[in-house]
Amino acid sequence: MPTTTGMRGEGFYDTHSSPQWEALAAFLPWLEEAIGRIPLPQGDNACFRLLDIGSSEGANATRAAGRLIQAVRRRSDLPIEVGFDDLPSNNFNQLFLNLFPQGSWRFDGAGEVYATVVAGSAFARLRPGGSLQVATTFNAIGFLERQPPTPVSHYVLAMPPGPCSPRSGVGVPEAATAAYQAEAARNLRAFYAARAAELAPGGALLVQVFGRNAQHSTSHGLYDVLSDALLDLVDAGAIARAFYAQLVFPLYFRSEQELIAPVQAGTPLAESWRLERSGTREVPVPFQQQFERDGDRAGWAASYTNFLRAFTEPIVARQLEQAGLAAAPVVEQLYRRVEERLNREPSRYPFHFISIAALLTRV
């Protein structure tokens, strides 16, 4: 079973995913430029094919696809097939609605453009060999394929808490971090190998995901407030400490160097890929910027909470159900407590969205 069922559905993730858009948009121009160099498919039935991996409900994925389609159109009128992938448990109904906003084809006016949808893991093959010209993934492959068995128990991640939110007894053993790091590296090798099989020679792969730099991790603040809110529920008797101890989010926040390590010279995958460029950026977060402009702490806390809830609630709810607990009332208490903590102590939970990316060419 995958470690997550996906994001919160019914349009909730779409509504609260503007930071994710900023994180991917920072690197999208790399791929728009690279499309000008990709060999065009030849033959009577030639078609330019793109695939986005981890598309979720599709608001950001279809928006990015629109820009890439325009980049293709600047050099060719070939038919274009644009594909969207996510886990079988994903809310594909909302993705279809994003392809037909107000009932109209999103890419109307761009010539022959056709859409496909694929259900499957990012770490496995999704398309026939050599069938793609472009592949992308945005904010998806930080979720691990498998949860390492190494216990964490004193925090909700296998990575250290942020520096602004110390709480007695909260911490992560080095062995746990190492186990999750190893799983993340294994996942990344599988991802690059699968895309190498799917992309035609000269095709481009843009990989972007939340990560960390020398100063900050995207996890800081976010998972600190979630951890503190869960411990508040433990103190209130709403959940058992044993539940907190076994709830570990299946995430790893890579550095830029870890993102490109599997395709560096001397590795088996280096023969398949040419690394064109890589980078790390702290990207603007819309609800943070709004808070700086208007000082509306309550509005900021609500937006921060909904952003966090959009990708953490499904994991919390599934763990509660597996523990035999009624998920809905506990979930509501949890995110209400998150919002209360943010509203009371905003300086304790600073959020820095660190986005890392790499652009590669299939050789």
Side-chain angles (χ1 to χ4, degrees), residues 200-254:
L205 169 64
L206 178 61
V207 182
Q208 177 274 322
V209 67
F210 47 79
R212 69 182 195 274
N213 61 18
Q215 293 78 38
H216 305 292
S217 171
T218 309
S219 62
H220 293 165
L222 279 176
Y223 288 91
D224 296 333
V225 70
L226 189 63
S227 174
D228 285 350
L230 283 162
L231 287 169
D232 290 342
L233 297 191
V234 170
D235 293 341
I239 58 174
R241 180 165 288 275
F243 176 80
Y244 173 85
Q246 59 86 35
L247 177 60
V248 183
F249 285 80
L251 298 163
Y252 184 77
F253 294 76
R254 297 178 179 89

Side-chain angles (χ1 to χ4, degrees), residues 181-213:
Q181 181 184 40
E183 175 66 11
R186 186 188 71 81
N187 290 178
L188 196 55
R189 290 191 296 270
F191 177 86
Y192 285 136
R195 305 295 80 79
E198 295 164 346
L199 279 160
L205 169 64
L206 178 61
V207 182
Q208 177 274 322
V209 67
F210 47 79
R212 69 182 195 274
N213 61 18

Side-chain angles (χ1 to χ4, degrees), residues 236-279:
I239 58 174
R241 180 165 288 275
F243 176 80
Y244 173 85
Q246 59 86 35
L247 177 60
V248 183
F249 285 80
L251 298 163
Y252 184 77
F253 294 76
R254 297 178 179 89
S255 66
E256 179 185 337
Q257 183 54 44
E258 287 174 312
L259 184 68
I260 63 176
V263 296
Q264 296 286 68
T267 65
L269 285 165
E271 297 179 358
S272 300
W273 295 106
R274 180 172 67 249
L275 177 65
E276 304 290 354
R277 58 196 304 186
S278 65

